[in-house]
Amino acid sequence: VLLTCAFCAVLLILIGEYRLDRKVKRTFSLTAVMVFFAALCEWGGIFLNGAPENTKFLHALIKAGDYIFTPLIPYFMTRRFADRKYLVTASGAVIAANTLLQIVSVFTGWTFFIGADNHYAHGRLYPVYMIVYALVYVALVVSFFDYCKHFKRRNLPSLISTFGMILMAVLLQEIFGDTCRIAYLAISGGLTFLFLHYIAFYQQRNEEFMTEQDRLLRTDPLTQMQNRFAYNELLGEFRGEPDGNVTIFSVDINRLKRINDESGHEAGDRLIRGAALAIDEVFSPFGKCFRTGGDEFFCVLELPGHNERALTEALRKATETMPGMPKPGLFLSVGYARASEHRGMGIGELIAVADHAMYREKERFYEEHPELKR
């Protein structure tokens, strides 16, 4: 009894220490209190075995409390963790039926009875109670495994072991009876372990949430490329003159405004996504690519060889074969600047050179294709 109470007390202390959702705290707290009362009822029944005759009715009420409180332990947990709502409904119906059965058993002796010598014994419907007990624990196991389906696989053995420990303790108590009253000790300990497991899951879920928020903060939603925020972060990492192999590519979509005006923004979005796919395909093996504005892209690359022209030509070919583009097709203007060819320049100045080269290329494009002019 003392160890069971100690486990419940430790669990309540742990619940108070962690900043969790109030519903979660309430669920674990109520379950711990339920374990405490169920254990007291069981041990109260043992204490009253052989007590004076005038305690028989009290003895029966205490045993009824034991049989009512015990299935409520997994039920409260199922209510909190079940994704399958029918499990809560079915468990609730089973709990209600069991509660009624135990109250009736105080007077009829169906699941338990107090003999003439004031000793407790199983009634003829005791197997029904064991079926109830098994059903609500099966519902809990299913609910908890559903809830923790995102657990990393290495966490599952300890979860399975916890339920196995509780099951073993219950079976041993049923086999050996009063000489092995360890079920509530195992349940209270198991509940504490489940809470710690939930904390691990809660922390993992928060980490995944923060990782996803961090990704969204740095990702352009239309193209899934890194955005201007990520671009500015990268530029902030440069101190002084960049390494000679650093090459900046400035890429701009030609005719985007005209496409938006004539064919609508959905067509313009297709153009932007097509440009992003081509840029990512050609440049991403050598560094990082960013969409920094409506039709603007920058790539910060490490190019050991002087192959900027080859990459520019590869990008042109990639745009020619890009499917699903609005007519007359996808056209990009590209400018670049290599740090080794602009000694003494910082990263900002290198970007300006690449951007200036891109605008010269854009002017040349419209001179050669006046019919496509903005």
Side-chain angles (χ1 to χ4, degrees):
V1 177
L2 291 176
L3 284 175
T4 300
C5 293
F7 267 122
C8 291
V10 168
L11 177 57
L12 290 172
I13 292 170
L14 287 172
I15 292 169
E17 287 180 346
Y18 283 95
R19 296 180 62 183
L20 297 172
D21 180 85
R22 288 183 180 180
K23 290 182 179 179
V24 174
K25 285 194 169 191
R26 185 164 59 245
T27 296
F28 276 102
S29 298
L30 283 173
T31 308
V33 170
M34 207 58 60
V35 171
F36 174 74
F37 278 117
L40 284 184
C41 286
E42 181 185 66
W43 284 93
I46 293 172
F47 178 77
L48 288 175
N49 270 336
E53 184 75 13
N54 59 3
T55 63
K56 284 183 66 175
F57 187 68
L58 175 62
H59 196 172
L61 288 177
I62 287 176
K63 289 310 298 181
D66 178 9
Y67 282 23
I68 290 171
F69 286 135
T70 301
L72 283 172
I73 297 167
Y75 173 67
F76 276 121
M77 299 292 288
T78 300
R79 284 187 59 182
R80 174 63 188 89
F81 294 112
D83 289 330
R84 313 180 199 202
K85 297 306 178 185
Y86 69 84
L87 283 177
V88 177
T89 303
S91 297
V94 169
I95 288 294
N98 176 71
T99 301
L100 181 61
L101 176 62
Q102 303 315 323
I103 292 173
V104 172
S105 294
V106 171
F107 305 98
T108 63
W110 285 350
T111 54
F112 65 89
F113 63 91
I114 310 300
D117 57 353
N118 203 4
H119 275 78
Y120 147 79
H122 295 161
R124 64 181 182 277
L125 295 184
Y126 181 76
V128 174
Y129 168 71
M130 290 306 297
I131 291 171
V132 168
Y133 196 64
L135 287 175
V136 290
Y137 265 102
V138 167
L140 171 60
V141 171
V142 172
S143 300
F144 205 80
F145 270 86
D146 279 350
Y147 191 79
C148 297
K149 58 190 172 187
H150 299 298
F151 261 125
K152 293 179 181 176
R153 188 166 293 181
R154 66 172 181 266
N155 299 116
L156 292 178
S158 59
L159 189 62
I160 295 169
S161 299
T162 299
F163 282 112
M165 175 191 70
I166 295 173
L167 177 62
M168 182 183 296
V170 171
L171 290 176
L172 287 174
Q173 181 164 311
E174 289 302 312
I175 294 169
F176 295 106
D178 289 346
T179 61
C180 187
R181 312 301 294 188
I182 59 172
Y184 288 111
L185 177 61
I187 291 171
S188 59
L191 184 62
T192 304
F193 297 151
L194 287 180
F195 179 75
L196 295 175
H197 240 288
Y198 176 81
I199 292 299
F201 173 70
Y202 185 81
Q203 290 175 341
Q204 177 188 317
R205 186 178 61 181
N206 281 349
E207 288 172 4
E208 290 173 351
F209 175 78
M210 294 305 296
T211 299
E212 177 63 11
Q213 293 302 303
D214 187 67
R215 186 191 70 80
L216 292 174
L217 180 66
R218 291 166 173 77
T219 302
D220 172 55
L222 179 61
T223 63
Q224 297 305 302
M225 295 183 83
Q226 294 187 76
N227 60 15
R228 177 170 285 278
F229 182 84
Y231 172 69
N232 289 335
E233 271 194 330
L234 179 65
L235 297 188
E237 295 174 6
F238 284 91
R239 296 290 182 271
E241 184 178 341
D243 181 80
N245 291 329
V246 171
T247 302
I248 304 296
F249 274 82
S250 173
V251 184
D252 200 272
I253 303 173
N254 297 331
R255 304 175 53 257
L256 179 61
K257 185 178 184 303
R258 182 171 174 180
I259 289 291
N260 282 332
D261 292 342
E262 295 179 355
S263 304
H265 285 276
E266 193 279 330
D269 288 348
R270 291 207 314 274
L271 211 63
I272 293 170
R273 284 193 291 267
L277 286 172
I279 291 168
D280 189 64
E281 177 186 325
V282 173
F283 291 135
S284 63
F286 306 99
K288 295 183 177 181
C289 302
F290 308 85
R291 181 190 176 204
T292 57
D295 55 1
E296 300 172 355
F297 299 84
F298 279 92
C299 301
V300 182
L301 311 181
E302 287 273 351
L303 297 178
H306 290 258
N307 52 354
E308 293 88 351
R309 290 187 179 181
L311 288 176
T312 302
E313 179 61 19
L315 180 62
R316 185 188 64 78
K317 290 181 179 179
T319 60
E320 288 177 352
T321 58
M322 186 62 60
M325 295 296 99
K327 293 181 179 180
L330 173 61
F331 301 96
L332 302 178
S333 293
V334 181
Y336 57 84
R338 184 180 180 86
S340 61
E341 297 174 358
H342 300 275
R343 292 297 184 184
M345 285 190 178
I347 191 69
E349 295 168 299
L350 204 61
I351 290 168
V353 171
D355 215 25
H356 185 66
M358 182 274 293
Y359 280 112
R360 287 203 309 270
E361 179 64 25
K362 186 178 284 286
E363 289 173 2
R364 188 179 301 115
F365 171 83
Y366 286 120
E367 287 173 1
E368 295 175 359
H369 303 280
E371 73 281 4
L372 300 179
K373 200 162 186 177
R374 295 183 287 257

